């Protein structure tokens, strides 16, 4: 019951943040391009670095990986929020998707090399 409630709470928070992000405008960009590769690689490195940090702190494996994943995704979301300000390039769901894919790759790569 507690796990179901926790999942529901997290999903609701994410939906509220995404829906109420206060974006002034959205980007009109493509799914591919140089900046998409930068989002992917940057998120991969951040997720692996965050996981390594957790390992060096003596956290258990699940906590370390969760920290690395959320560290990377959180910075990706912050960058998109910064882009969404007036005068910025606009919030890009495509960039954010590449951030999430990169975070998952970094999460997986670190786990595969340190099991």
């Amino acid at each position: 019951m507690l796990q179901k409630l926790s999942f529901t709470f997290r999903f609701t928070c994410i939906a509220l943040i995404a829906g109420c992000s206060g974006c002034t405008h959205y980007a009109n960009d493509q799914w591919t391009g140089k900046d998409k590769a930068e989002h992917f690689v940057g998120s991969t490195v951040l997720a692996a670095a965050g996981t390594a940090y957790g390992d060096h702190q003596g956290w258990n494996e699940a906590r370390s990986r969760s920290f690395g994943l959320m560290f990377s995704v959180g910075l990706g979301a912050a960058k998109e929020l910064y882009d969404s300000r007036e005068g910025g390039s606009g919030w890009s769901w495509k960039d954010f998707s590449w951030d999430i894919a990169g975070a998952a790759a970094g999460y997986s790569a670190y786990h595969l090399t340190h099991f």
Side-chain angles (χ1 to χ4, degrees), residues 4 11 20 30-31 34 36 38 40 50 55 80 87 96 102 105 112-114:
K4 186 175 183 180
F11 180 77
C20 303
Q30 302 297 319
W31 277 103
K34 181 180 181 241
K36 305 307 186 253
E38 291 169 351
F40 182 83
D55 281 349
E80 289 308 313
F96 192 58
L112 287 173
T113 60
H114 290 86

Side-chain angles (χ1 to χ4, degrees), residues 5-76:
L5 180 63
S6 177
F7 173 76
T8 304
F9 177 73
R10 288 178 187 173
F11 180 77
T12 303
C13 287
I14 291 169
L16 285 172
I17 290 169
C20 303
S21 63
C23 298
T24 59
H25 63 288
Y26 295 96
N28 185 15
D29 56 348
Q30 302 297 319
W31 277 103
T32 58
K34 181 180 181 241
D35 72 314
K36 305 307 186 253
E38 291 169 351
H39 280 273
F40 182 83
V41 171
S43 293
T44 300
V45 170
L46 289 171
T51 304
Y53 173 79
D55 281 349
H56 289 292
Q57 294 300 313
W59 298 343
N60 65 31
E61 183 181 350
R63 185 174 178 196
S64 295
R65 290 188 327 207
S66 295
F67 177 79
L69 186 65
M70 295 312 299
F71 176 68
S72 179
V73 170
L75 288 175

